[in-house]
């Protein structure tokens, strides 16, 4: 479903992961609709392609240097955004990656948790006041791997991602090296994004801020190369041809962020354009409270 993007003149949008793939399409679409877009890039030079794509409209794009897997960089990026704008109208948390080996961030947290979850949580909470003043729409790009962590789905029942925070005192305890399964670690981080998002949606609703998450479909991005099981890697090129293009994947995120019909929709999860369910643990109030507390402690440290 493709909807025209309304006039966004005078609006401010933050889009992470905008230097390539789906994020680049989302950011470019918002700029062309009149918005001023800010993005955070680990390698600002990669934004040259986006600037070239925008041509004369590139003056409405700001690139803030930062590695979103690092707590200090998330905090600094949020401060830089707030120094420039006191209102934010759109926040698309699109940055993410899949790591085929166990890696630890600069803050001692497993990398899927750091980049695929904490970056989005950090920006959303650190930009809280500006989002409230702008009556913003927050869109978290997730993955339906949270509903089924099987890489090859030929038989059997779906195997949802798990999130057991019992006895967990620090997010560094999640996705440990012992028994590390990359696909499940990735799915757990996406499940955490959705779980926290449900709680944040309730808190922000009083000020007209909406928080929704979506699976954009299986898009031919760099992440897909890592997610393809070893047995299927010889067919990777053929597989990519059957997937959505970044432009097709971007449509759902852009619609949720801008469509007037979505103005009052919050606390939902979408599989492309259709509302979908997420594992029961994501709706558990105790799990949500514990996750928020652990996440807030991470940024208070």
């Amino acid at each position: 479903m493709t909807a025209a993007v309304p006039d966004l003149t005078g609006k401010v949008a933050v889009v992470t992961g905008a230097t390539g793939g789906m994020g680049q399409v989302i950011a470019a679409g918002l700029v062309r609709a009149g918005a001023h877009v800010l993005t955070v890039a680990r390698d600002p030079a990669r934004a040259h392609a986006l600037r070239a794509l925008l041509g004369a409209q590139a003056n409405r794009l700001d690139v803030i240097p930062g590695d979103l897997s690092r707590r200090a960089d998330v905090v600094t990026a949020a401060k830089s955004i707030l120094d420039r704008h006191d209102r934010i109208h759109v926040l698309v948390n699109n940055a993410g990656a899949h790591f085929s080996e166990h890696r630890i961030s600069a803050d001692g947290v497993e990398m899927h948790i750091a980049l695929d979850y904490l970056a989005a949580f950090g920006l959303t909470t650190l930009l809280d006041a500006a989002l409230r003043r702008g009556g913003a729409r927050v869109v978290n790009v997730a993955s339906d791997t949270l509903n089924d962590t099987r890489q090859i789905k030929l038989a059997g029942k779906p195997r949802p991602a798990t999130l057991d925070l019992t006895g967990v005192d620090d997010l560094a305890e999640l996705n440990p090296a012992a028994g590390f399964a990359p696909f499940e670690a990735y799915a757990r981080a996406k499940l955490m994004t959705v779980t926290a998002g449900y709680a944040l949606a309730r808190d922000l609703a009083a000020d007209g801020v909406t928080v929704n998450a979506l699976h954009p479909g299986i898009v031919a991005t760099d992440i897909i190369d890592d997610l393809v099981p070893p047995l299927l890697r010889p067919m990777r090129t053929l597989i990519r041809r059957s997937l959505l293009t970044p432009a097709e994947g971007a449509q759902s995120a852009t619609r949720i962020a801008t469509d007037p019909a979505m103005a009052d929709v919050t606390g939902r999860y979408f599989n492309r354009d259709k509302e979908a369910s997420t594992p029961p643990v994501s709706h558990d109030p105790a799990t949500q409270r514990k996750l928020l507390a652990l996440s807030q402690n991470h940024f208070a440290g």
Side-chain angles (χ1 to χ4, degrees):
M1 177 180 178
T2 304
V5 180
D7 182 9
L8 299 177
T9 301
K11 304 296 186 183
V12 175
V14 178
V15 181
T16 65
T19 56
M22 202 173 81
Q24 184 182 82
V25 178
I26 295 169
L30 296 178
V31 168
R32 288 169 178 152
H36 190 102
V37 173
L38 301 95
T39 189
V40 183
R42 184 177 58 187
D43 180 6
R46 290 190 60 194
H48 289 330
L50 178 54
R51 292 189 184 282
L53 190 66
L54 292 171
Q57 295 175 314
N59 65 328
R60 291 204 303 276
L61 174 72
D62 285 346
V63 180
I64 297 170
D67 180 347
L68 289 175
S69 73
R70 301 173 62 97
R71 174 175 53 208
D73 284 20
V74 174
V75 172
T76 299
K79 184 178 184 303
S80 295
I81 293 168
L82 294 174
D83 284 345
R84 305 177 197 199
H85 303 280
D86 66 351
R87 283 174 174 77
I88 297 169
H89 305 91
V90 173
L91 168 60
V92 181
N93 289 307
N94 169 71
H98 176 265
F99 302 93
S100 58
E101 296 179 352
H102 190 266
R103 291 176 55 186
I104 297 295
S105 75
D107 306 300
V109 178
E110 192 273 326
M111 281 293 285
H112 288 104
I113 305 293
L115 182 57
D116 295 336
Y117 167 60
L118 281 170
F121 177 87
L123 283 180
T124 303
T125 54
L126 291 167
L127 298 175
D128 178 278
L131 294 171
R132 291 179 189 272
R133 282 191 288 266
R137 297 201 198 176
V138 179
V139 181
N140 293 320
V141 177
S143 165
D144 211 51
T145 55
L146 60 85
N147 277 317
D148 191 355
T149 61
R150 296 174 301 156
Q151 287 185 273
I152 301 177
K153 302 171 176 58
L154 296 179
K157 296 180 180 180
R159 190 170 63 234
T162 59
L163 182 59
D164 184 0
L165 300 179
T166 305
V168 174
D169 296 317
D170 193 301
L171 290 179
E173 298 170 36
L174 298 181
N175 290 352
F180 181 73
F183 199 66
E184 293 179 13
Y186 172 76
R188 181 170 296 112
K190 295 299 187 180
L191 176 61
M192 292 167 70
T193 296
V194 171
T195 302
Y198 289 148
L200 292 173
R202 290 194 300 272
D203 178 54
L204 291 163
D207 290 296
V209 178
T210 64
V211 182
N212 294 291
L214 83 148
H215 168 60
I218 304 178
V219 182
T221 63
D222 292 342
I223 288 180
I224 288 300
D225 289 338
D226 283 333
L227 292 179
V228 173
L231 288 174
L232 299 179
R233 282 179 187 164
M235 299 168 24
R236 189 159 47 193
T237 300
L238 183 61
I239 291 171
R240 286 180 70 97
R241 288 176 185 165
S242 69
L243 305 181
L244 298 176
T245 65
E248 290 170 329
Q251 289 174 6
S252 297
T254 301
R255 182 182 74 89
I256 294 170
T258 64
D259 187 346
M262 297 290 294
D264 298 318
V265 176
T266 191
R268 312 285 180 85
Y269 170 74
F270 295 86
N271 189 326
R272 298 198 70 190
D273 286 316
K274 294 184 178 180
E275 188 174 347
S277 61
T278 55
V281 68
S282 65
H283 299 282
D284 176 57
T287 299
Q288 292 177 358
R289 287 194 297 271
K290 181 72 175 285
L291 180 58
L292 291 185
L294 290 169
S295 306
Q296 289 160 352
N297 286 345
H298 174 81
F299 283 99

